[in-house]
């Protein structure tokens, strides 16, 4: 059974960094596009970044481009989201998700979801 588990969230000051991890089990990264999403209460889930199943293509939301970097480790079946220069508006629950068909920043395309990890950016 496909499972995704996020970790690495926490409290960080503005300008700081965090690295989120998404460990995938029950399937290999080579078969799935992986996306990172975030959500705050009362708002829709927002696509942050994604990477293709082959790992060669990535996409970033305009709000995080130049600050966040998505990467994959095939041996560890893990996808990372390196977040630098964090801002208070980055505060949200961050989710990773797997897409069996392709990849993109639309949440409805994804088939499997993790439970989320809280990121809080505050002084």
């Amino acid at each position: 059974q496909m499972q995704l588990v996020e970790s690495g969230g926490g409290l960080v000051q503005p300008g700081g960094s965090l690295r989120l991890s998404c460990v995938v089990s029950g399937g290999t990264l080579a078969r799935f596009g992986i996306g990172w999403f975030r959500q705050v209460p009362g708002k829709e889930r927002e696509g942050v970044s994604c990477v293709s199943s082959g790992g060669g293509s990535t996409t970033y939301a305009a709000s995080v481009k130049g600050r966040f970097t998505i990467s994959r480790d095939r041996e560890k079946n893990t996808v990372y989201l390196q977040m630098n220069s964090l801002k208070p508006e980055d505060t949200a629950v961050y989710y990773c998700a797997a897409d069996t068909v392709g990849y993109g920043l639309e949440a409805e395309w994804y088939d499997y979801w993790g439970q989320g990890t809280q990121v809080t950016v505050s002084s």
Side-chain angles (χ1 to χ4, degrees):
Q1 184 177 353
M2 185 76 169
Q3 285 190 324
L4 296 88
V5 179
E6 305 95 333
S7 62
L11 173 64
V12 64
Q13 291 188 342
S17 298
L18 283 174
R19 188 178 78 159
L20 304 183
S21 299
C22 172
V23 178
V24 179
S25 61
T28 60
L29 286 183
R31 294 183 55 202
F32 300 95
I34 301 293
W36 282 100
F37 296 82
R38 64 187 181 187
Q39 189 169 26
V40 297
K43 292 190 176 182
E44 291 188 358
R45 196 164 291 189
E46 174 192 14
V48 174
S49 182
C50 58
V51 59
S52 62
S53 57
S57 298
T58 58
T59 302
Y60 296 92
S63 58
V64 306
K65 200 167 187 178
R67 300 188 297 123
F68 290 11
T69 303
I70 191 169
S71 61
R72 304 168 5 141
D73 185 328
R74 278 194 182 183
E75 289 188 0
K76 295 182 179 180
N77 234 30
T78 299
V79 177
Y80 303 99
L81 185 68
Q82 178 67 44
M83 306 186 296
N84 299 329
S85 303
L86 283 162
K87 306 175 181 180
E89 50 264 42
D90 295 318
T91 295
V93 177
Y94 283 71
Y95 301 87
C96 65
D99 184 346
T100 57
V101 176
Y103 72 105
L105 296 180
E106 298 295 330
E108 57 264 31
W109 295 352
Y110 286 77
D111 305 290
Y112 303 96
W113 290 85
Q115 82 289 347
T117 185
Q118 176 71 47
V119 171
T120 303
V121 184
S122 174
S123 55

